[in-house]
């Protein structure tokens, strides 16, 4: 047997990685959520739709999208998809992750630099060991921060989308679709690589199957030789008459040696027979696996192609939906302005009409009140004339009394008094003669 081929050796470089993902549970939850969206009253809603109804429907769309985004985010965790690569993070959320990554990288560099300094008494005197200790502590803290950064960014993302509008949620859904397209493409490449490795494995298994059969044949040929030698040795042993002789011992030893050789060769024959059967079995298993993987890869290609094409169309569809929502809002805004304009026109019209009627009524009241005013003024003037007449009569009485008592004619004094200018200065008039008396106005000239 050749020494360059030994199928009984164990390959120590086997892959032991295992991913435990509860796919069934995650998929069932998603299907359950989607099944709840069936609405038997949708036709009636369309038939009876108003702008106010559309607001409620759009809000339901937002709630449905929000629930879907949350479920997809949870689904990502269950199937091991990296959060930051599958969600449209804003600058603040992305900065949390980026800062944590940069801090971790700096900490690794600092620790490496500290360890690279020579372990000399001079460097140790200047704090080499303490710097290494500090760098190790910083690396540990930076690793904790990096591990928590994804959860922190995810919490910020979840809080942001709680109050996000439909456009933001649609953008997030589109981003997830585009990320899924890349993921499907990467999975296709991975499957293709496995297919190629399995094809190589089929060739190797087939070659090993052939080699195992060849080894088995070689062992069988040697086994036949050993069987013949063993038969001769046993016959020679039987022909020895003296069982206590050295010749008998040598013959027995030869038989024992040949029996051991036969036993060893029979073991090898069984091993190579088993290995040949095993390699033949794995040829069929690998072939079946390739067929399954090829089918899955084909299905992934179909889904990816459709998702990519539909996502491109869906982006336009979403744009139309968002524009329609904005147009509905603008239309409602215009309707509100129109309503306010009509109401304002009505109010201004009412005010102007009231102003006109009030003005006309005021004019009428003014006209109606003219006789009343004249009557009142007649009373005023009559009272004035009556009072003035009483004053004149009183003056006459005073004049008569003065004339009788003092022999002074007060009529001229009183007439001068009434004719005097009440606004004329009186400081320098003591030594000046009185001016000519003015004639008195008629007593009944009340409007002069």
């Amino acid at each position: 047997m050749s020494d360059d081929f030994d199928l009984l050796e164990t390959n120590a470089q086997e892959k032991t990685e295992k991913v435990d993902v509860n796919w069934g549970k995650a998929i069932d939850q998603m299907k359950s959520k989607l099944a709840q969206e069936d609405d038997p009253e949708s036709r009636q809603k369309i038939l009876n739709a108003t702008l106010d109804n559309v607001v409620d429907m759009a809000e339901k769309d937002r709630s449905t999208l929000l629930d879907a985004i949350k479920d997809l985010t949870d689904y990502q965790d269950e199937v091991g998809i990296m959060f930051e690569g599958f969600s449209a993070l804003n600058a603040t959320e992305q900065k949390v992750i980026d800062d944590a990554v940069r801090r971790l990288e700096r900490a690794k560099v600092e620790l490496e630099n500290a360890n690279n300094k020579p372990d000399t008494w001079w460097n140790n005197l200047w704090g080499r060991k303490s710097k290494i200790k500090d760098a190790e502590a910083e690396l540990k803290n930076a690793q904790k921060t990096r591990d928590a950064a994804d959860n922190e960014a995810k919490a910020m993302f979840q809080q942001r989308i709680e109050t996000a509008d439909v456009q933001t949620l649609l953008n997030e859904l589109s981003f997830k679709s585009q990320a899924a397209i890349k993921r499907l493409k990467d999975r296709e490449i991975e499957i293709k690589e496995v297919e190629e490795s399995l094809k190589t494995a089929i060739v190797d298994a087939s070659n090993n199957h052939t080699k195992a059969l060849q080894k088995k044949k070689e062992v069988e040929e040697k086994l036949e030789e050993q069987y013949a030698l063993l038969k001769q040795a046993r016959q020679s042993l039987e022909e020895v008459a003296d069982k206590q002789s050295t010749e008998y011992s040598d013959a027995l030893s030869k038989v024992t040696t040949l029996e051991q050789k036969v036993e060893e060769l029979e073991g090898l024959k069984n091993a190579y027979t088993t290995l040949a059967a095993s390699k033949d079995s794995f040829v069929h298993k690998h072939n079946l696996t390739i067929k399954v993987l090829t089918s899955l890869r084909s299905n992934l290609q179909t889904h990816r192609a459709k998702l990519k094409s539909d996502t491109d169309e869906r982006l336009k569809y979403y744009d139309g939906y968002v524009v329609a929502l904005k147009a509905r809002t603008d239309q409602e805004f215009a309707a509100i302005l129109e309503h306010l304009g009509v109401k304002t026109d009505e109010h201004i019209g009412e005010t102007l009409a009231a102003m006109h009627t009030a003005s006309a009524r005021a004019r009428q009241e003014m006209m109606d009140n003219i006789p009343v005013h004249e009557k009142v003024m007649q009373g005023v003037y009559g009272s004035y004339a009556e009072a003035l007449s009483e004053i004149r009569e009183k003056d006459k009485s005073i004049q008569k009394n003065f004339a009788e008592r003092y022999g002074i004619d007060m009529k001229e004094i009183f007439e001068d008094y009434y004719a005097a200018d009440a606004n004329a200065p009186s400081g320098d008039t003591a030594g000046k003669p009185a001016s000519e008396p003015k004639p008195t106005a008629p007593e009944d000239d009340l409007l002069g």
Side-chain angles (χ1 to χ4, degrees):
M1 291 182 290
S2 61
D3 296 333
D4 60 343
F5 177 73
D6 189 355
L7 296 174
L8 299 180
E9 288 186 0
T10 302
N11 185 4
Q13 297 179 349
E14 295 179 352
K15 293 184 178 180
T16 59
E17 295 181 0
K18 181 180 178 183
V19 179
D20 186 12
V21 177
N22 192 354
W23 292 91
K25 178 182 177 182
I27 294 175
D28 288 343
Q29 288 177 348
M30 292 298 294
K31 286 183 177 179
S32 176
K33 288 289 186 181
L34 293 174
Q36 296 176 4
E37 297 306 317
D38 294 336
D39 189 354
E41 299 179 357
S42 60
R43 179 176 180 275
Q44 197 63 33
K45 288 183 178 180
I46 296 173
L47 293 175
N48 299 331
T50 64
L51 288 177
D52 292 336
N53 298 144
V54 173
V55 174
D56 296 335
M57 294 173 70
E59 179 57 30
K60 183 179 180 182
D61 290 342
R62 196 195 76 85
S63 300
T64 303
L65 276 170
L66 180 60
D67 292 340
I69 296 300
K70 289 180 179 178
D71 291 340
L72 283 171
T73 304
D74 294 337
Y75 176 75
Q76 292 168 207
D77 295 337
E78 292 190 36
V79 299
I81 300 175
M82 294 298 292
F83 166 74
E84 62 268 26
F86 224 75
S87 292
L89 304 182
N90 62 19
T92 303
E93 296 156 358
Q94 187 64 50
K95 187 175 184 297
V96 172
I97 297 175
D98 293 342
D99 290 347
V101 171
R102 285 193 291 269
R103 179 183 176 184
L104 181 60
E105 291 175 351
R106 285 196 303 269
K108 290 179 180 178
V109 172
E110 290 294 332
L111 180 58
E112 183 179 359
N113 292 337
N115 284 323
N116 287 339
K117 282 192 175 182
D119 187 7
T120 62
W121 71 271
W122 178 258
N123 289 334
N124 290 332
L125 179 64
W126 287 98
R128 173 182 175 274
K129 293 182 179 180
S130 62
K131 289 179 180 179
I132 293 176
K133 185 177 180 180
D134 293 342
E136 290 174 344
E138 171 59 19
L139 179 61
K140 185 177 180 180
N141 293 331
Q143 187 63 55
K144 289 182 179 179
T145 302
R146 176 65 188 94
D147 295 339
D150 289 343
N151 290 332
E152 183 179 353
K154 179 181 176 182
M156 295 170 65
F157 167 80
Q158 294 282 37
Q159 184 178 7
R160 175 168 60 88
I161 66 170
E162 283 287 344
T163 56
D165 56 14
V166 172
Q167 185 172 8
T168 301
L169 295 176
L170 288 175
N171 290 339
E172 173 64 20
L173 187 60
S174 299
F175 186 90
K176 289 185 183 295
S177 297
Q178 292 168 344
I181 292 170
K182 182 180 182 301
R183 182 176 175 84
L184 291 175
K185 179 63 176 178
D186 294 341
R187 187 70 69 199
E188 291 173 34
I189 295 174
E190 181 183 5
I191 291 176
K192 185 66 176 177
E193 292 175 351
V194 174
E195 288 178 6
E196 295 300 325
S197 67
L198 285 174
K199 289 179 182 179
T200 303
I202 288 176
V203 174
D204 293 340
S206 179
N207 291 336
N208 290 337
H209 174 258
T210 302
K211 291 179 181 180
L213 292 178
Q214 291 174 351
K215 295 293 184 181
K216 176 175 174 288
K217 184 177 180 181
E218 293 175 4
V219 170
E220 287 175 343
E221 291 175 354
K222 291 186 177 184
L223 194 57
E224 289 297 327
E225 294 176 359
Q226 295 302 316
Y227 277 141
L229 294 174
L230 181 59
K231 184 177 180 181
Q232 293 175 3
R234 284 174 178 174
Q235 186 176 358
S236 298
L237 181 62
E238 292 175 358
E239 291 176 353
V240 177
D242 187 2
K243 307 299 183 182
Q244 302 298 324
S245 64
T246 303
E247 182 181 1
Y248 183 82
S249 297
D250 292 339
L252 181 61
S253 176
K254 184 176 182 181
V255 169
T256 301
T257 301
L258 289 172
E259 285 179 345
Q260 290 177 338
K261 191 66 174 178
V262 168
E263 185 69 25
E264 180 183 348
L265 291 172
E266 285 182 346
L268 286 174
K269 175 186 175 182
N270 291 334
Y272 285 117
T273 300
T274 302
L275 284 172
S278 175
K279 296 306 175 183
D280 183 62
S281 173
F282 272 105
V283 168
H284 296 291
K285 290 178 182 178
H286 290 337
N287 186 55
L288 176 61
T289 305
I290 288 177
K291 289 181 179 179
V292 173
L293 290 177
T294 303
S295 175
L296 289 173
R297 182 165 57 86
S298 177
N299 290 339
L300 285 177
Q301 286 177 335
T302 302
H303 283 297
R304 179 175 60 86
K306 185 176 185 302
L307 183 59
K308 186 176 186 303
S309 176
D310 289 353
T311 299
D312 293 339
E313 299 296 336
R314 196 167 284 122
L315 290 175
K316 302 172 186 176
Y317 181 57
Y318 290 166
D319 288 341
Y321 175 60
V322 172
V323 170
L325 285 179
K326 293 179 180 179
R328 189 221 67 81
T329 303
D330 294 340
Q331 184 177 351
E332 181 69 13
F333 183 64
I336 292 173
L337 287 178
E338 182 182 2
H339 179 73
L340 290 175
V342 171
K343 286 297 182 182
T344 303
D345 294 344
E346 293 175 358
H347 293 162
I348 292 176
E350 291 174 359
T351 303
L352 289 173
M355 191 181 301
H356 182 267
T357 55
S359 177
R361 184 169 287 107
R363 178 181 54 80
Q364 289 180 348
E365 290 178 355
M366 180 182 66
M367 298 295 290
D368 290 340
N369 286 333
I370 288 176
V372 176
H373 291 322
E374 291 179 348
K375 184 176 182 180
V376 171
M377 291 306 295
Q378 286 178 358
V380 170
Y381 288 132
S383 299
Y384 171 67
E386 182 178 354
L388 190 59
S389 177
E390 291 179 356
I391 290 173
R392 293 295 178 91
E393 291 296 328
K394 183 69 174 176
D395 288 343
K396 291 180 181 179
S397 176
I398 292 174
Q399 292 175 20
K400 182 179 180 182
N401 181 267
F402 266 74
E404 291 177 354
R405 293 176 62 185
Y406 304 106
I408 299 173
D409 187 0
M410 299 298 298
K411 180 178 180 181
E412 183 178 352
I413 294 175
F414 275 95
E415 286 179 352
D416 290 341
Y417 173 77
Y418 285 119
D421 185 0
N423 295 323
S426 58
D428 298 333
T429 57
K432 294 182 180 180
S435 60
E436 292 293 328
K438 295 182 179 179
T440 59
E443 294 181 0
D444 59 347
D445 187 8
L446 300 177
L447 299 179

